[in-house]
Amino acid sequence: MTAPIEKLEVRQGDITRLAVDAIVNAANRSLLGGGGVDGAIHRAAGPELLAECRTLGGCPTGEARLTMGYRLPARYVIHTVGPVYRGRHEDARLLTSCYRHSLALAAQRGARTIAFPAVSCGVYGYPIEAACGIAVDATLAYLAEEDRIERVIYVLFSASDRRIYEDHIARRGQA
Ligand code: AR6
């Protein structure tokens, strides 16, 4: 069995270009689209994605919902709603929950490869270092319990965010 940390990968770029089983969208509770990565995913997937999202009736913060990927190279989109950062303990709990719910939905639908953006780190204001630690902790905890997921890719838009993830994972690997 592959060790959980060996299943993690970091890339820089546009998540909409990834041919993985599932990409995760940093959505809002309406699931009806927005800016940032959400806008990019809806533009690349086409109007069928919004049509399916309309049938879902929204999603509470910290949970996730699955749709098809339509014109994306990814088969599924998992829409999760991260917390708006306010510096409370609750923020970390909700962000952890986004990762757990997204991974559980992916595994349930037979996805083996999944890509995450830095959920909550744009408009929602979560500091990237803290969010990275939460993302990696939540993913490793999940992968330790459930081995159907073979690869988890964190896709960062900027070189500085990519380095934060790479350094964090390298340190975790040495621990
Ligand atoms: N690929 C990968 N990462 C991206 C891409 C992309 N194509 N585009 C942006 N990012 P944000 P949030 C990065 O604001 O903070 C939306 O309007 C970006 O640099 O997209 O969870 C929703 O509808 C940042 O690091 O999501 C919600 O209303 C990260 O993705 C709200 O924004 C997340 O930034 C959610 O805010």
Side-chain angles (χ1 to χ4, degrees), residues 50-103:
L50 182 58
E52 186 176 356
C53 284
R54 285 192 197 287
T55 69
L56 298 175
C59 175
T61 303
E63 292 190 20
R65 300 287 184 268
L66 182 140
T67 64
M68 298 309 291
Y70 300 99
R71 298 176 203 176
L72 291 166
R75 175 145 199 229
Y76 299 119
V77 180
I78 294 173
H79 307 262
T80 194
V81 183
V84 174
Y85 183 74
R86 295 193 179 88
R88 301 168 310 181
H89 200 66
E90 178 75 351
D91 301 337
R93 188 188 67 75
L94 288 167
L95 192 57
T96 299
S97 172
C98 287
Y99 283 88
R100 283 198 71 82
H101 273 86
S102 299
L103 289 160

Short mmCIF file of all heavy atoms in Angstrom, two decimals, residues 50-103:
data_model
loop_
_atom_site.label_atom_id
_atom_site.label_comp_id
_atom_site.label_asym_id
_atom_site.label_seq_id
_atom_site.Cartn_x
_atom_site.Cartn_y
_atom_site.Cartn_z
N LEU A 50 -24.03 24.74 -14.80
CA LEU A 50 -24.93 25.59 -14.02
C LEU A 50 -26.33 24.96 -13.96
O LEU A 50 -26.98 24.97 -12.91
CB LEU A 50 -25.01 27.00 -14.63
CG LEU A 50 -25.87 28.00 -13.88
CD1 LEU A 50 -25.39 28.18 -12.44
CD2 LEU A 50 -25.88 29.35 -14.60
N ALA A 51 -26.76 24.37 -15.06
CA ALA A 51 -28.08 23.73 -15.08
C ALA A 51 -28.13 22.61 -14.03
O ALA A 51 -29.11 22.50 -13.28
CB ALA A 51 -28.38 23.20 -16.47
N GLU A 52 -27.09 21.81 -13.93
CA GLU A 52 -27.10 20.74 -12.92
C GLU A 52 -27.02 21.34 -11.51
O GLU A 52 -27.70 20.87 -10.59
CB GLU A 52 -25.97 19.73 -13.14
CG GLU A 52 -26.11 18.57 -12.15
CD GLU A 52 -25.11 17.43 -12.32
OE1 GLU A 52 -24.29 17.44 -13.25
OE2 GLU A 52 -25.17 16.51 -11.46
N CYS A 53 -26.20 22.38 -11.35
CA CYS A 53 -26.07 23.02 -10.03
C CYS A 53 -27.41 23.55 -9.54
O CYS A 53 -27.71 23.50 -8.35
CB CYS A 53 -25.04 24.15 -10.07
SG CYS A 53 -23.34 23.54 -10.10
N ARG A 54 -28.22 24.06 -10.46
CA ARG A 54 -29.53 24.60 -10.08
C ARG A 54 -30.43 23.54 -9.45
O ARG A 54 -31.33 23.86 -8.69
CB ARG A 54 -30.25 25.18 -11.31
CG ARG A 54 -29.71 26.50 -11.77
CD ARG A 54 -30.68 27.11 -12.80
NE ARG A 54 -30.05 28.16 -13.57
CZ ARG A 54 -29.76 29.36 -13.10
NH1 ARG A 54 -30.09 29.67 -11.87
NH2 ARG A 54 -29.16 30.26 -13.85
N THR A 55 -30.19 22.28 -9.79
CA THR A 55 -31.05 21.20 -9.25
C THR A 55 -30.63 20.81 -7.83
O THR A 55 -31.32 20.02 -7.18
CB THR A 55 -30.97 19.92 -10.13
OG1 THR A 55 -29.64 19.36 -9.99
CG2 THR A 55 -31.24 20.22 -11.60
N LEU A 56 -29.50 21.33 -7.35
CA LEU A 56 -28.94 20.84 -6.08
C LEU A 56 -29.47 21.59 -4.85
O LEU A 56 -29.36 21.08 -3.73
CB LEU A 56 -27.41 20.91 -6.10
CG LEU A 56 -26.73 20.04 -7.18
CD1 LEU A 56 -25.23 20.28 -7.18
CD2 LEU A 56 -27.03 18.56 -6.95
N GLY A 57 -29.98 22.78 -5.05
CA GLY A 57 -30.53 23.53 -3.91
C GLY A 57 -29.48 24.05 -2.94
O GLY A 57 -29.73 24.15 -1.74
N GLY A 58 -28.29 24.35 -3.44
CA GLY A 58 -27.25 24.94 -2.59
C GLY A 58 -26.52 23.91 -1.75
O GLY A 58 -26.77 22.70 -1.85
N CYS A 59 -25.60 24.41 -0.92
CA CYS A 59 -24.76 23.52 -0.10
C CYS A 59 -24.30 24.31 1.13
O CYS A 59 -23.83 25.43 1.00
CB CYS A 59 -23.55 23.09 -0.95
SG CYS A 59 -22.32 22.10 -0.07
N PRO A 60 -24.43 23.74 2.33
CA PRO A 60 -23.96 24.45 3.52
C PRO A 60 -22.43 24.56 3.56
O PRO A 60 -21.73 23.72 2.99
CB PRO A 60 -24.44 23.56 4.69
CG PRO A 60 -25.39 22.58 4.10
CD PRO A 60 -25.03 22.43 2.65
N THR A 61 -21.94 25.56 4.24
CA THR A 61 -20.50 25.72 4.43
C THR A 61 -19.93 24.47 5.09
O THR A 61 -20.53 23.93 6.04
CB THR A 61 -20.23 26.96 5.32
OG1 THR A 61 -20.83 28.08 4.69
CG2 THR A 61 -18.74 27.21 5.48
N GLY A 62 -18.79 23.98 4.57
CA GLY A 62 -18.14 22.80 5.14
C GLY A 62 -18.59 21.49 4.52
O GLY A 62 -18.06 20.43 4.85
N GLU A 63 -19.59 21.55 3.61
CA GLU A 63 -20.03 20.32 2.94
C GLU A 63 -19.66 20.37 1.46
O GLU A 63 -19.03 21.32 1.01
CB GLU A 63 -21.54 20.14 3.11
CG GLU A 63 -21.91 19.85 4.56
CD GLU A 63 -23.35 19.44 4.72
OE1 GLU A 63 -23.98 19.01 3.74
OE2 GLU A 63 -23.85 19.56 5.85
N ALA A 64 -20.05 19.36 0.71
CA ALA A 64 -19.69 19.27 -0.71
C ALA A 64 -20.81 18.58 -1.49
O ALA A 64 -21.56 17.78 -0.92
CB ALA A 64 -18.39 18.50 -0.86
N ARG A 65 -20.90 18.90 -2.76
CA ARG A 65 -21.87 18.28 -3.67
C ARG A 65 -21.18 17.94 -4.97
O ARG A 65 -20.30 18.68 -5.41
CB ARG A 65 -23.03 19.24 -3.97
CG ARG A 65 -23.83 19.69 -2.74
CD ARG A 65 -24.70 18.57 -2.19
NE ARG A 65 -25.52 19.05 -1.09
CZ ARG A 65 -25.16 19.00 0.20
NH1 ARG A 65 -23.99 18.49 0.54
NH2 ARG A 65 -25.97 19.45 1.14
N LEU A 66 -21.62 16.86 -5.61
CA LEU A 66 -20.94 16.40 -6.84
C LEU A 66 -21.80 16.63 -8.08
O LEU A 66 -23.01 16.41 -8.04
CB LEU A 66 -20.61 14.91 -6.68
CG LEU A 66 -19.85 14.24 -7.82
CD1 LEU A 66 -18.79 13.29 -7.28
CD2 LEU A 66 -20.82 13.46 -8.72
N THR A 67 -21.16 17.07 -9.15
CA THR A 67 -21.83 17.14 -10.46
C THR A 67 -20.89 16.50 -11.49
O THR A 67 -19.72 16.24 -11.21
CB THR A 67 -22.08 18.60 -10.93
OG1 THR A 67 -20.81 19.24 -11.13
CG2 THR A 67 -22.92 19.39 -9.94
N MET A 68 -21.42 16.37 -12.70
CA MET A 68 -20.56 15.95 -13.80
C MET A 68 -19.66 17.11 -14.22
O MET A 68 -19.94 18.27 -13.89
CB MET A 68 -21.41 15.51 -15.01
CG MET A 68 -22.31 14.32 -14.74
SD MET A 68 -21.45 12.92 -14.00
CE MET A 68 -20.40 12.42 -15.38
N GLY A 69 -18.61 16.80 -15.00
CA GLY A 69 -17.65 17.84 -15.42
C GLY A 69 -17.98 18.46 -16.78
O GLY A 69 -17.34 19.42 -17.17
N TYR A 70 -18.93 17.86 -17.51
CA TYR A 70 -19.33 18.38 -18.83
C TYR A 70 -18.14 18.63 -19.74
O TYR A 70 -17.41 17.69 -20.02
CB TYR A 70 -20.26 19.60 -18.65
CG TYR A 70 -21.50 19.17 -17.90
CD1 TYR A 70 -21.63 19.39 -16.52
CD2 TYR A 70 -22.50 18.45 -18.54
CE1 TYR A 70 -22.73 18.94 -15.82
CE2 TYR A 70 -23.61 17.99 -17.85
CZ TYR A 70 -23.71 18.24 -16.50
OH TYR A 70 -24.79 17.78 -15.80
N ARG A 71 -17.87 19.89 -20.16
CA ARG A 71 -16.79 20.10 -21.15
C ARG A 71 -15.40 20.13 -20.53
O ARG A 71 -14.41 20.37 -21.24
CB ARG A 71 -17.04 21.42 -21.89
CG ARG A 71 -18.35 21.39 -22.66
CD ARG A 71 -18.67 22.71 -23.31
NE ARG A 71 -20.09 22.81 -23.55
CZ ARG A 71 -20.71 23.88 -24.03
NH1 ARG A 71 -20.01 24.96 -24.34
NH2 ARG A 71 -22.01 23.87 -24.21
N LEU A 72 -15.30 19.89 -19.26
CA LEU A 72 -13.97 19.83 -18.61
C LEU A 72 -13.31 18.49 -18.92
O LEU A 72 -14.01 17.49 -19.10
CB LEU A 72 -14.12 19.93 -17.09
CG LEU A 72 -14.57 21.27 -16.51
CD1 LEU A 72 -15.00 21.06 -15.06
CD2 LEU A 72 -13.43 22.28 -16.59
N PRO A 73 -11.97 18.44 -18.88
CA PRO A 73 -11.32 17.13 -18.98
C PRO A 73 -11.59 16.25 -17.75
O PRO A 73 -11.46 15.03 -17.84
CB PRO A 73 -9.83 17.46 -19.12
CG PRO A 73 -9.68 18.92 -18.93
CD PRO A 73 -11.02 19.57 -18.89
N ALA A 74 -11.96 16.87 -16.64
CA ALA A 74 -12.26 16.08 -15.43
C ALA A 74 -13.66 15.49 -15.53
O ALA A 74 -14.59 16.12 -16.04
CB ALA A 74 -12.18 16.98 -14.19
N ARG A 75 -13.82 14.29 -15.00
CA ARG A 75 -15.11 13.62 -15.09
C ARG A 75 -16.15 14.27 -14.18
O ARG A 75 -17.30 14.47 -14.56
CB ARG A 75 -14.87 12.17 -14.68
CG ARG A 75 -16.09 11.35 -14.60
CD ARG A 75 -15.78 9.94 -15.03
NE ARG A 75 -17.01 9.29 -15.36
CZ ARG A 75 -17.36 8.10 -14.89
NH1 ARG A 75 -16.53 7.42 -14.15
NH2 ARG A 75 -18.50 7.58 -15.22
N TYR A 76 -15.74 14.58 -12.96
CA TYR A 76 -16.66 15.17 -11.99
C TYR A 76 -16.14 16.50 -11.47
O TYR A 76 -14.91 16.73 -11.43
CB TYR A 76 -16.79 14.27 -10.75
CG TYR A 76 -17.33 12.90 -10.99
CD1 TYR A 76 -16.55 11.77 -10.71
CD2 TYR A 76 -18.62 12.70 -11.47
CE1 TYR A 76 -17.03 10.49 -10.92
CE2 TYR A 76 -19.11 11.42 -11.68
CZ TYR A 76 -18.32 10.32 -11.40
OH TYR A 76 -18.81 9.05 -11.60
N VAL A 77 -17.08 17.33 -11.01
CA VAL A 77 -16.72 18.51 -10.21
C VAL A 77 -17.34 18.32 -8.83
O VAL A 77 -18.53 17.99 -8.71
CB VAL A 77 -17.25 19.83 -10.82
CG1 VAL A 77 -16.85 21.02 -9.95
CG2 VAL A 77 -16.73 20.03 -12.25
N ILE A 78 -16.51 18.48 -7.81
CA ILE A 78 -17.01 18.43 -6.44
C ILE A 78 -17.00 19.86 -5.92
O ILE A 78 -15.95 20.49 -5.84
CB ILE A 78 -16.14 17.49 -5.59
CG1 ILE A 78 -16.31 16.06 -6.11
CG2 ILE A 78 -16.52 17.60 -4.11
CD1 ILE A 78 -15.40 15.04 -5.48
N HIS A 79 -18.18 20.37 -5.64
CA HIS A 79 -18.33 21.77 -5.22
C HIS A 79 -18.33 21.79 -3.70
O HIS A 79 -19.22 21.21 -3.07
CB HIS A 79 -19.65 22.34 -5.74
CG HIS A 79 -19.84 22.15 -7.22
ND1 HIS A 79 -19.56 23.14 -8.13
CD2 HIS A 79 -20.24 21.07 -7.94
CE1 HIS A 79 -19.81 22.68 -9.35
NE2 HIS A 79 -20.21 21.42 -9.26
N THR A 80 -17.35 22.46 -3.13
CA THR A 80 -17.34 22.58 -1.68
C THR A 80 -17.39 24.05 -1.31
O THR A 80 -16.96 24.91 -2.07
CB THR A 80 -16.13 21.85 -1.05
OG1 THR A 80 -16.34 21.72 0.35
CG2 THR A 80 -14.81 22.59 -1.30
N VAL A 81 -17.94 24.33 -0.13
CA VAL A 81 -18.11 25.72 0.30
C VAL A 81 -17.23 25.94 1.52
O VAL A 81 -17.49 25.43 2.61
CB VAL A 81 -19.58 26.03 0.63
CG1 VAL A 81 -19.73 27.51 1.01
CG2 VAL A 81 -20.48 25.66 -0.53
N GLY A 82 -16.14 26.68 1.30
CA GLY A 82 -15.22 26.98 2.39
C GLY A 82 -15.75 28.11 3.26
O GLY A 82 -16.66 28.84 2.86
N PRO A 83 -15.17 28.25 4.46
CA PRO A 83 -15.58 29.35 5.34
C PRO A 83 -14.98 30.68 4.88
O PRO A 83 -13.90 30.72 4.32
CB PRO A 83 -14.96 28.95 6.69
CG PRO A 83 -13.74 28.16 6.31
CD PRO A 83 -14.10 27.42 5.05
N VAL A 84 -15.69 31.75 5.16
CA VAL A 84 -15.12 33.09 5.04
C VAL A 84 -14.24 33.25 6.27
O VAL A 84 -14.69 33.03 7.40
CB VAL A 84 -16.23 34.16 5.04
CG1 VAL A 84 -15.63 35.57 5.05
CG2 VAL A 84 -17.15 33.98 3.83
N TYR A 85 -12.97 33.59 6.07
CA TYR A 85 -12.02 33.62 7.20
C TYR A 85 -12.32 34.78 8.15
O TYR A 85 -12.41 35.93 7.73
CB TYR A 85 -10.60 33.75 6.67
CG TYR A 85 -9.57 33.72 7.77
CD1 TYR A 85 -9.26 32.53 8.42
CD2 TYR A 85 -8.91 34.88 8.15
CE1 TYR A 85 -8.32 32.50 9.43
CE2 TYR A 85 -7.96 34.86 9.16
CZ TYR A 85 -7.68 33.66 9.80
OH TYR A 85 -6.75 33.63 10.80
N ARG A 86 -12.47 34.43 9.43
CA ARG A 86 -12.67 35.46 10.45
C ARG A 86 -11.71 35.28 11.62
O ARG A 86 -11.84 35.94 12.64
CB ARG A 86 -14.11 35.42 10.99
CG ARG A 86 -15.15 35.76 9.95
CD ARG A 86 -16.51 36.01 10.57
NE ARG A 86 -17.48 36.37 9.55
CZ ARG A 86 -18.22 35.50 8.88
NH1 ARG A 86 -18.12 34.20 9.13
NH2 ARG A 86 -19.06 35.89 7.96
N GLY A 87 -10.79 34.30 11.51
CA GLY A 87 -9.82 34.08 12.57
C GLY A 87 -10.39 33.35 13.77
O GLY A 87 -9.85 33.44 14.87
N ARG A 88 -11.47 32.60 13.57
CA ARG A 88 -12.05 31.84 14.67
C ARG A 88 -11.67 30.37 14.54
O ARG A 88 -11.38 29.89 13.45
CB ARG A 88 -13.59 31.93 14.66
CG ARG A 88 -14.12 33.34 14.75
CD ARG A 88 -15.60 33.33 14.42
NE ARG A 88 -15.84 32.61 13.16
CZ ARG A 88 -17.01 32.45 12.60
NH1 ARG A 88 -18.08 32.95 13.18
NH2 ARG A 88 -17.14 31.79 11.47
N HIS A 89 -11.77 29.64 15.67
CA HIS A 89 -11.49 28.21 15.67
C HIS A 89 -12.40 27.48 14.68
O HIS A 89 -12.01 26.53 14.01
CB HIS A 89 -11.69 27.68 17.09
CG HIS A 89 -10.99 26.38 17.29
ND1 HIS A 89 -9.61 26.28 17.27
CD2 HIS A 89 -11.47 25.13 17.49
CE1 HIS A 89 -9.27 25.02 17.46
NE2 HIS A 89 -10.38 24.30 17.58
N GLU A 90 -13.62 27.97 14.61
CA GLU A 90 -14.64 27.40 13.73
C GLU A 90 -14.19 27.38 12.25
O GLU A 90 -14.57 26.48 11.51
CB GLU A 90 -15.89 28.28 13.91
CG GLU A 90 -17.07 27.94 13.05
CD GLU A 90 -17.79 26.70 13.54
OE1 GLU A 90 -17.28 26.01 14.45
OE2 GLU A 90 -18.84 26.39 12.96
N ASP A 91 -13.39 28.35 11.85
CA ASP A 91 -12.95 28.41 10.45
C ASP A 91 -12.15 27.15 10.09
O ASP A 91 -12.35 26.56 9.04
CB ASP A 91 -12.04 29.63 10.20
CG ASP A 91 -12.73 30.94 10.52
OD1 ASP A 91 -13.97 30.99 10.51
OD2 ASP A 91 -12.01 31.92 10.79
N ALA A 92 -11.24 26.76 10.98
CA ALA A 92 -10.40 25.59 10.73
C ALA A 92 -11.26 24.32 10.69
O ALA A 92 -11.04 23.44 9.85
CB ALA A 92 -9.33 25.48 11.80
N ARG A 93 -12.23 24.25 11.59
CA ARG A 93 -13.11 23.07 11.61
C ARG A 93 -13.88 22.96 10.28
O ARG A 93 -13.98 21.88 9.69
CB ARG A 93 -14.08 23.17 12.79
CG ARG A 93 -14.89 21.91 13.02
CD ARG A 93 -15.96 22.10 14.06
NE ARG A 93 -17.02 23.01 13.66
CZ ARG A 93 -17.99 22.73 12.79
NH1 ARG A 93 -18.04 21.53 12.23
NH2 ARG A 93 -18.89 23.63 12.47
N LEU A 94 -14.38 24.08 9.81
CA LEU A 94 -15.16 24.07 8.57
C LEU A 94 -14.28 23.77 7.36
O LEU A 94 -14.70 23.03 6.46
CB LEU A 94 -15.88 25.42 8.38
CG LEU A 94 -17.05 25.64 9.33
CD1 LEU A 94 -17.50 27.10 9.29
CD2 LEU A 94 -18.23 24.72 8.98
N LEU A 95 -13.06 24.30 7.33
CA LEU A 95 -12.18 24.02 6.19
C LEU A 95 -11.77 22.54 6.19
O LEU A 95 -11.75 21.89 5.14
CB LEU A 95 -10.96 24.95 6.21
CG LEU A 95 -10.13 24.95 4.93
CD1 LEU A 95 -10.96 25.33 3.70
CD2 LEU A 95 -8.93 25.89 5.05
N THR A 96 -11.48 21.99 7.35
CA THR A 96 -11.18 20.55 7.47
C THR A 96 -12.35 19.74 6.91
O THR A 96 -12.17 18.78 6.15
CB THR A 96 -10.96 20.17 8.95
OG1 THR A 96 -9.85 20.90 9.43
CG2 THR A 96 -10.71 18.68 9.13
N SER A 97 -13.54 20.15 7.27
CA SER A 97 -14.74 19.45 6.84
C SER A 97 -14.91 19.50 5.31
O SER A 97 -15.34 18.51 4.70
CB SER A 97 -15.93 20.10 7.57
OG SER A 97 -17.12 19.64 7.08
N CYS A 98 -14.53 20.61 4.68
CA CYS A 98 -14.58 20.70 3.21
C CYS A 98 -13.73 19.61 2.57
O CYS A 98 -14.14 18.95 1.60
CB CYS A 98 -14.02 22.04 2.73
SG CYS A 98 -15.09 23.44 3.03
N TYR A 99 -12.50 19.44 3.08
CA TYR A 99 -11.59 18.44 2.51
C TYR A 99 -12.13 17.03 2.75
O TYR A 99 -12.14 16.18 1.85
CB TYR A 99 -10.16 18.64 3.04
CG TYR A 99 -9.49 19.81 2.35
CD1 TYR A 99 -9.62 21.11 2.83
CD2 TYR A 99 -8.79 19.62 1.15
CE1 TYR A 99 -9.04 22.19 2.16
CE2 TYR A 99 -8.22 20.70 0.48
CZ TYR A 99 -8.34 21.98 0.99
OH TYR A 99 -7.79 23.03 0.31
N ARG A 100 -12.59 16.77 3.97
CA ARG A 100 -13.10 15.43 4.28
C ARG A 100 -14.31 15.09 3.43
O ARG A 100 -14.41 13.99 2.87
CB ARG A 100 -13.51 15.34 5.76
CG ARG A 100 -12.37 15.20 6.71
CD ARG A 100 -12.86 14.69 8.06
NE ARG A 100 -13.26 13.29 7.98
CZ ARG A 100 -12.40 12.27 8.05
NH1 ARG A 100 -11.11 12.49 8.22
NH2 ARG A 100 -12.83 11.04 7.97
N HIS A 101 -15.25 16.02 3.35
CA HIS A 101 -16.46 15.76 2.57
C HIS A 101 -16.13 15.56 1.09
O HIS A 101 -16.71 14.71 0.43
CB HIS A 101 -17.44 16.93 2.70
CG HIS A 101 -18.36 16.83 3.87
ND1 HIS A 101 -18.02 17.27 5.13
CD2 HIS A 101 -19.60 16.32 3.99
CE1 HIS A 101 -19.02 17.06 5.95
NE2 HIS A 101 -20.00 16.47 5.29
N SER A 102 -15.20 16.36 0.57
CA SER A 102 -14.87 16.25 -0.86
C SER A 102 -14.21 14.91 -1.15
O SER A 102 -14.54 14.23 -2.14
CB SER A 102 -13.91 17.38 -1.26
OG SER A 102 -14.52 18.64 -1.06
N LEU A 103 -13.29 14.49 -0.28
CA LEU A 103 -12.60 13.21 -0.49
C LEU A 103 -13.58 12.04 -0.35
O LEU A 103 -13.53 11.09 -1.13
CB LEU A 103 -11.45 13.07 0.52
CG LEU A 103 -10.26 14.00 0.23
CD1 LEU A 103 -9.40 14.18 1.49
CD2 LEU A 103 -9.42 13.46 -0.92
#
